[in-house]
Amino acid sequence: PGSSGLSRRQAAAEVQWAWLERELMESKADYLWVAGHYPIWSAGNDGSQPCLIERLRPLLQAHGAHYISGHDHMLEHFEDGDVNTFVVGAGKECCYPPVNLGSTKKGAIRYMLAGNLGSLSMPPVPFPVQGGFASMVFGAESVAVELHAHDGTVLYAAPRIARRVQSSDGMWFGKAVATGSDDTMLASLLTPRFAAAAAVVAVAASAASVTSAIFVLRRMSRCDWQVRASAPLLLEQ
């Protein structure tokens, strides 16, 4: 431990936490997403990550941001208050059993692809699923997130997630989304598998006056965040 009482790993982690908090605070993006290797909530083999629940989730809530991750070989969607989190880790195989369902927040799970060939999914899958991925389509007012089977079949379409708006006191939050489609597609993103990837990503697209920001980090070692972070990556339409 150094003079601060932190190990080198812990000290490096605090630098990364400070970086992420600063980037979230300074972002003016209409869509603000963070992505990481480890999930906040997950019912899979390794379950939910207490350090991310305690430190990352409040940052997402405070800045109107959402989260996408991998690690557990599953597809999951959790809606925790205003924060949406997705686990997209089924690129290699399908799927881990939901042995840690009890570690997730009660009432937050919206979809789960789990078990061998999806046999323990909620709701049940229509055919044996060998793997999966996610797609994200950004519109003028909202983003559509869909979870797909290995052959591209849409297994689950999440309720549309609104772009952020800023209140008079400077706080960011997601505004209400009208039902129906958002016809103005500004950008789209297909996720590769995150499960074994050494990546923590966040999302960005820019078109007209609507922007979104993707932050890219390296793989973190669970709660230590021993990672170097790149500058935000912005994609132009």
Side-chain angles (χ1 to χ4, degrees):
S3 57
S4 64
L6 300 177
S7 68
R8 292 181 64 182
R9 287 174 64 92
Q10 291 170 328
E14 290 305 316
V15 171
Q16 301 309 312
W17 281 114
W19 174 86
L20 181 60
E21 185 169 11
R22 182 175 67 252
E23 293 295 334
L24 292 174
M25 185 177 300
E26 294 177 355
S27 176
K28 304 299 182 184
D30 297 279
Y31 296 106
L32 188 59
W33 286 71
V34 176
H37 181 85
Y38 290 99
I40 297 177
W41 306 107
S42 178
N45 284 1
D46 287 314
S48 305
Q49 300 297 313
C51 65
L52 300 182
I53 295 170
E54 294 168 5
R55 297 196 66 170
L56 181 57
R57 193 222 168 274
L59 290 178
L60 301 175
Q61 178 73 45
H63 300 290
H66 307 282
Y67 188 64
I68 186 169
S69 69
H71 188 69
D72 275 341
H73 296 192
M74 310 170 72
L75 298 178
E76 299 172 280
H77 175 210
F78 297 89
E79 188 176 6
D80 177 17
D82 296 330
V83 178
N84 288 272
T85 67
F86 294 86
V87 178
V88 185
K92 179 183 179 182
E93 62 186 358
C94 177
C95 281
Y96 286 173
V99 293
N100 283 299
L101 186 59
S103 75
T104 65
K105 186 171 183 178
K106 185 176 181 179
I109 193 165
R110 296 292 176 264
Y111 180 80
M112 179 180 67
L113 178 68
N116 183 43
L117 300 179
S119 58
L120 299 175
S121 300
M122 298 170 49
V125 293
F127 55 82
V129 178
Q130 299 174 20
F133 61 96
S135 65
M136 304 172 72
V137 178
F138 292 85
E141 297 297 332
S142 62
V143 56
V145 182
E146 294 180 335
L147 303 180
H148 302 259
H150 60 278
D151 63 355
T153 299
V154 176
L155 298 172
Y156 170 74
R160 299 188 72 94
I161 300 170
R163 67 179 178 87
R164 300 192 307 160
V165 294
Q166 193 171 28
S167 64
S168 58
D169 60 2
M171 298 296 291
W172 289 90
F173 58 93
K175 66 176 187 176
V177 183
T179 57
S181 63
D182 187 351
D183 294 329
T184 309
M185 187 185 79
L186 303 180
S188 62
L189 173 73
L190 286 177
T191 66
R193 72 180 178 92
F194 282 96
V200 182
V201 201
V203 184
S206 173
S209 61
V210 177
T211 62
S212 55
I214 289 190
F215 302 107
V216 181
L217 311 174
R218 299 293 175 186
R219 177 171 179 166
M220 64 183 77
S221 176
R222 297 186 188 255
C223 298
D224 282 346
W225 281 62
Q226 191 199 4
V227 280
R228 292 189 175 88
S230 76
L233 171 66
L234 292 180
L235 308 176
E236 299 270 339
Q237 170 77 4

